[in-house]
């Protein structure tokens, strides 16, 4: 049996831009697939399945014999072959991202691990969202910042605030690392640690700055005292202060001017952080306060850059709001470099399997009598849910990863982007380190057309033939 | 220092019903808080913090000395005291669900674990969502089912389909278990296993039934063959078949009648599962097909019950859609018992920290000179984000958990619902088993008023005093 996994749409159902950053398979592979089953595991499972059933029934079907057999035959490794796209590749929607093959007595186990593999939707969706945010930020930089889209400031413009909004620590690692493919800025330390020590040979991947949260501001006798303390420790570098503990407008009008001289004396860069109210208005208010208190320089593109002061908006940020804020900032004549963003739940939690419509579908089966059949799902009225028939391969056509039937000689082994990463046990995989992955993502994302027909001629013919033969 | 965690609103910002089912602290406590730090951990952390910093800075502040000191003094256990509400308690919004206290040299570590503890938002939000779904189902049962809201069918009416839509396995366990507080039905086997063997002494907690998914339907020569195979294995019990692999309307009009005789002969219960199209229309279409093919009985409440056949809708279900479908079902004269629901991403993933607006806030600090201060955040223009000052206690007033200042003699130790669950290391905790938790949730949820003012008179006075004294 053969099954494959596919994102059936671009981010948020976008038809104009169906690109994605494929990421996260290594984690799933190393954490779950490389785990060897033991006889004790099978006995525990049997005990569980015997009791997990509606009252009228006897027991939940569990192929215990097959599990015991692969423990013996494959040293406890799950008996499937898994092919997958390389980590960090950019493809358009509908390109299979993995393919599972099971054969012989183990054929029925093909989709047994479907649930675990399907979870690839998460890191891929976060990596894609974060990359799209980078597109928006780069466009605003191109228009309003010296150095444009390649300014060294870009990688710190979207900071990951999502740790506490995650469901679990495991999620924070996976989602946080996906974001780090596109940006440096993160307070999701679990992910920064994992990226640095597990995926990048100990070389740092993430950055952050000292920043106050409300408890720091409110535990000082006044906000002014809290900020002066920050200046005394970090004033020559860069630091952020949250400004809405009591009254945001008053803090901008009275507290910021009262610390201006100390901050100018320290010579560093202070970041004002609004945290409630309308995000667009809150950012503009902070920029206007910065202009008034610290002054601005006008850059060669004609935009104002506040001196030694900027803003980070970390409340209520999603892709849409980020675009709105940047549009308003530029409209008011400020340069995009004066604003950074923090995205929390919007980055790591407010996505789901439907965001890019991920599914695993069976595509090929060989019956007990040896007859092969290519199969597909074709629900009427929902053409996006149609699945491809047969074993599949992916190769670049004019640079664009395109789907072919695996058989028929269309795709040579070395051209196939679906590489075997596991085969009834571990195989030798070469993983790029994280810095290399980042470079690959940046290059491939820019080079890939925003939308493309990824179905090759031979596959289209096959789809038509299967539909005809099976009258579907 | 003292900090506490609070849900600032009811589910989805609901002001009419601010109840919640508090759940999940045991997992966080046992998984993260009971982990002993080692010197090696601290050295790894130091290495990480030294490099996690914006380029201009030297290193990220990390209180290494404090970590080494608590390893020595508290055997590696994190040096805080944690109080929390009991698992499975129902409270209204704004009741503190946990409180962290740190003292002496370790005071600065008070909110160091805030991120981990804040993740309590997730299981509590899922448990609350699932409970609210049960309210909707019970109301429809009361109106249209023999036995009403206490029918033994209720616990299987909302089935957890969410495993594959989770970000990670850890999330599936936590979210899936939260759902099981309210219902029996689950295919999130990770959670059913955990609930049974870790939380319920091995006694089963979840149920499920044999069911086809698309790969089963499409790998048979026809849908009819696939269903006949299911009947041959499970026809005398209860089983489900997904019906939209090719053409849902045609499957209802042609395939279902063609297997009717075999199914009637087997004598069990067949569940039709739509999986695309408009959920309301798809359910009604299936019920009408069931009526036509299998016939109906009319129950004592005047509603039609299809004979040996029902529907499960597992696509596109959230709280709103579930209500709409049940309203349409009853409107068409069918009994609610003919319909079950599967909720996937809607149950386990499409929630976030804002769904019930969870936050942890500092409330009390003793300065280096010994002066104590009660502190609070009071952002203008967002009164829901105001936090309480001082150490807090919770006791029932007229049955309703209500918030008091901890000091002042308002709440006796044994009345305080915030119980110490950890104190600079493990303490003896007694946990109810899962069946007891379920009973508690059902009773407390029904008994708690939907909305209540949870701020006691003494706390309101204290809030006013702190605002006055601090001019905020």
């Amino acid at each position: 049996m053969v099954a494959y996994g596919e994102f059936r749409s671009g981010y948020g159902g976008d038809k104009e831009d169906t690109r994605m950053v494929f990421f996260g398979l290594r984690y799933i592979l190393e954490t779950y697939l490389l785990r060897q089953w033991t006889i004790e595991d099978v006995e525990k499972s049997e005990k569980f399945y015997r009791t997990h059933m509606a009252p009228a029934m006897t027991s939940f079907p569990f192929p215990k014999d097959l599990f015991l057999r692969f423990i013996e035959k494959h040293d406890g490794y799950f008996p499937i072959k898994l092919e997958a796209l390389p980590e960090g590749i950019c493809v358009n929607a509908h390109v299979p991202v993995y393919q599972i093959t099971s054969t012989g007595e183990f054929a029925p186990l093909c989709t047994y691990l479907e649930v675990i593999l399907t979870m690839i939707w998460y890191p891929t969706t976060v990596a894609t969202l974060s990359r799209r945010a980078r597109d928006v930020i780069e466009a605003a930089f191109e228009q309003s910042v010296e150095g444009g889209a390649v300014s060294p400031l870009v990688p710190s413009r979207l900071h990951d605030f999502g740790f506490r909004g995650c469901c679990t620590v495991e999620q924070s690692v996976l989602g946080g690392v996906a974001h780090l493919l596109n940006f440096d800025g993160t307070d999701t330390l679990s992910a920064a640690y994992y990226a640095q020590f597990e995926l990048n040979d100990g070389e740092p991947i993430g950055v952050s700055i000292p920043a106050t949260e409300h408890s720091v501001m409110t535990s000082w006798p006044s906000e002014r005292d809290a900020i002066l303390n920050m200046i005394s420790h970090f004033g020559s570098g860069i630091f952020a202060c949250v400004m809405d503990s009591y009254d945001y407008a008053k803090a901008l009008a009275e507290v910021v001017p009262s610390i201006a001289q100390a901050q100018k004396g320290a010579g560093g860069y202070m970041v004002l952080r609004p945290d409630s109210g309308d995000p667009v208005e809150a950012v503009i208010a902070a920029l206007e306060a910065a202009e008034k208190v610290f002054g601005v320089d006008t850059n060669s593109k004609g935009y104002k850059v506040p001196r030694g002061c900027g803003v980070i908006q970390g409340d209520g940020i999603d892709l849409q709001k980020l675009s709105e804020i940047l549009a308003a900032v530029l409209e008011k004549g400020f340069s995009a470099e004066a604003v950074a963003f923090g995205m929390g739940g919007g980055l790591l939690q407010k996505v789901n399997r439907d965001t890019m419509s991920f599914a695993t579908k069976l595509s090929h089966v060989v019956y007990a009598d040896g007859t092969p059949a290519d199969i597909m799902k074709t629900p009427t009225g929902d053409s996006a849910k149609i699945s491809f028939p047969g074993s599949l391969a992916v190769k670049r056509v004019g640079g664009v990863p395109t789907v072919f039937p695996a058989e028929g000689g269309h795709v040579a082994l070395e051209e196939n982007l679906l590489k075997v990463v596991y085969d009834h046990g571990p195989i030798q995989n070469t993983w790029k380190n994280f810095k290399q992955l980042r470079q690959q993502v940046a290059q491939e994302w820019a080079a890939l057309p925003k939308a493309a027909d990824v179905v090759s001629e031979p596959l289209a013919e096959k789809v038509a033939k299967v539909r005809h033969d099976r009258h579907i």
Side-chain angles (χ1 to χ4, degrees), chain A residues 322-339:
Chain A
L322 190 151
S323 301
E324 281 173 34
I325 292 170
L326 282 172
V329 166
L330 270 57
E331 161 74 26
K332 290 280 182 187
F334 289 100
S335 168
E337 75 179 87
V339 185

Side-chain angles (χ1 to χ4, degrees), chain A residues 137-363:
Chain A
I137 289 166
E138 285 183 357
F141 264 62
E142 196 58 31
Q143 186 181 331
S144 68
V145 181
E146 313 266 8
V150 297
S151 158
L153 291 174
V154 169
S156 62
R157 293 301 101 172
L158 182 63
H159 202 88
D160 177 355
F161 278 8
F163 199 173
R164 77 188 60 191
C166 284
C167 305
T168 66
V169 176
E170 188 183 19
Q171 178 190 359
S172 76
V173 172
L174 263 176
V177 166
H179 170 68
L180 286 171
L181 282 173
N182 308 303
F183 289 94
D184 295 342
T186 189
D187 279 2
T188 299
L189 298 183
S190 53
Y193 186 95
Y194 176 78
Q196 176 170 345
F197 292 102
E198 299 295 324
L199 306 179
N200 205 46
D201 313 315
E203 289 297 308
I205 282 299
V207 302
S208 191
I209 62 170
T212 67
E213 42 121 20
H214 296 102
S215 69
V216 176
M217 303 302 284
T218 57
S219 62
W220 285 83
S222 73
E223 285 176 299
R224 180 170 187 274
D225 294 328
I227 298 175
L228 288 175
N229 175 61
M230 288 296 280
I231 292 172
S232 75
H233 282 92
F234 308 112
S236 64
I238 174 170
F239 67 96
C241 289
V242 67
M243 302 301 293
D244 74 327
S245 296
Y246 309 113
D247 183 334
Y248 179 59
K250 202 169 158 188
L252 293 181
E254 298 175 15
V255 182
V256 174
S258 80
I259 57 84
Q261 204 179 348
Q263 174 55 20
K264 283 179 197 167
Y269 193 90
M270 175 177 182
V271 183
L272 306 172
R273 177 158 78 90
D275 195 42
S276 49
D278 176 74
V280 176
E281 289 169 19
V283 168
I284 300 300
L287 288 173
E288 288 173 345
E291 176 175 15
K292 199 167 155 190
V293 175
F294 295 99
V296 294
D297 296 310
T298 300
N299 68 17
S300 68
K301 294 184 174 174
Y303 287 87
K304 294 182 284 188
V305 182
R307 291 187 197 122
C309 185
V311 182
I312 185 164
Q313 174 69 29
D315 180 51
I317 295 300
D318 58 21
L319 213 43
Q320 177 61 28
K321 195 53 78 181
L322 190 151
S323 301
E324 281 173 34
I325 292 170
L326 282 172
V329 166
L330 270 57
E331 161 74 26
K332 290 280 182 187
F334 289 100
S335 168
E337 75 179 87
V339 185
F341 298 90
M343 214 193 284
L347 181 64
L348 297 190
Q349 176 56 18
K350 293 178 185 174
V351 292
N352 57 71
R353 190 167 66 94
D354 299 335
T355 306
M356 294 172 52
S357 198
F358 187 82
T360 301
K361 291 296 158 198
L362 197 72
S363 59

Side-chain angles (χ1 to χ4, degrees), chain A residues 411-417 419:
Chain A
V411 181
L413 189 63
E414 64 279 10
E415 293 178 309
N416 193 353
L417 292 171
K419 302 290 182 201

Side-chain angles (χ1 to χ4, degrees), chain A residues 88-111:
Chain A
I89 195 175
C90 297
V91 297
N92 296 100
H94 292 299
V95 172
V97 299
Y98 61 70
Q99 182 165 260
I100 314 162
T101 306
S102 62
T103 52
E105 61 185 334
F106 298 121
L109 296 180
C110 183
T111 51

Side-chain angles (χ1 to χ4, degrees), chain A residues 17 20 26 36 49 79 98-99 109 115-117 121 165 211 244 255 304 329 335 363 421 428 458:
Chain A
D17 187 350
M20 71 190 65
R26 179 177 174 182
Q36 287 163 279
Y49 282 114
Y98 61 70
Q99 182 165 260
L109 296 180
V115 163
I116 304 286
L117 291 167
W121 76 261
D244 74 327
V255 182
K304 294 182 284 188
V329 166
S335 168
S363 59
V421 293
Q428 187 64 46

